[in-house]
Amino acid sequence: MKDFWVAHWLHCPPEREFVNGRRVILKHLCFGPAESRVWFAAEEGGCWYEERTLEGVQAGESLLEPVGREELQRLLSGEVALCRRLRQEELIPLFQEEKERWR
């Protein structure tokens, strides 16, 4: 799958398979300081947001909270718009398909 950069953030498209009980819907990785933001579907149901700070003043901090369908729709719509703006057309169907799953 093709990832793309927006400033210091690497944007990763949805994954198709569950790995360790999770399927990534959207992932943003920052390198400087290292930080990850991951929205994922749990195998047992529901959608979650996980944020981890890996270096810097807040190193070791993490957050895990449930995400509602409306928020997920908004995030995925934003990724579609970003893909259009950055001409990442091959990723648009992946994000749109994910939006349909969470209607």
Side-chain angles (χ1 to χ4, degrees):
M1 212 43 61
K2 184 178 178 187
D3 303 331
F4 62 98
W5 288 93
V6 179
H8 297 297
W9 289 92
L10 181 66
H11 289 236
C12 307
E15 296 176 356
R16 300 206 181 268
E17 309 271 329
F18 280 90
V19 176
N20 296 326
R22 303 170 21 148
R23 185 179 61 79
V24 172
I25 297 169
L26 178 59
K27 184 187 323 181
H28 295 163
L29 303 172
C30 182
F31 299 99
E35 182 179 336
S36 69
R37 296 177 182 170
V38 180
W39 292 263
F40 66 92
E43 209 163 27
E44 62 272 0
C47 180
W48 296 85
Y49 170 69
E50 178 180 54
E51 183 175 313
R52 291 184 183 202
T53 304
L54 306 171
E55 63 183 23
V57 176
Q58 297 173 320
E61 290 188 14
S62 64
L63 169 72
L64 181 66
E65 60 186 23
V67 176
R69 289 179 187 270
E70 283 182 24
E71 182 179 355
L72 195 54
Q73 289 287 320
R74 182 183 56 74
L75 288 164
L76 292 168
S77 292
E79 289 297 308
V80 168
L82 196 56
C83 287
R84 283 194 177 112
R85 192 171 81 227
L86 298 175
R87 298 183 183 184
Q88 300 291 326
E89 287 86 8
E90 68 279 5
L91 297 177
I92 292 171
L94 298 174
F95 288 113
Q96 289 177 327
E97 180 182 315
E98 198 63 48
K99 278 181 65 175
E100 287 299 316
R101 278 191 185 136
W102 294 96
R103 282 197 188 266

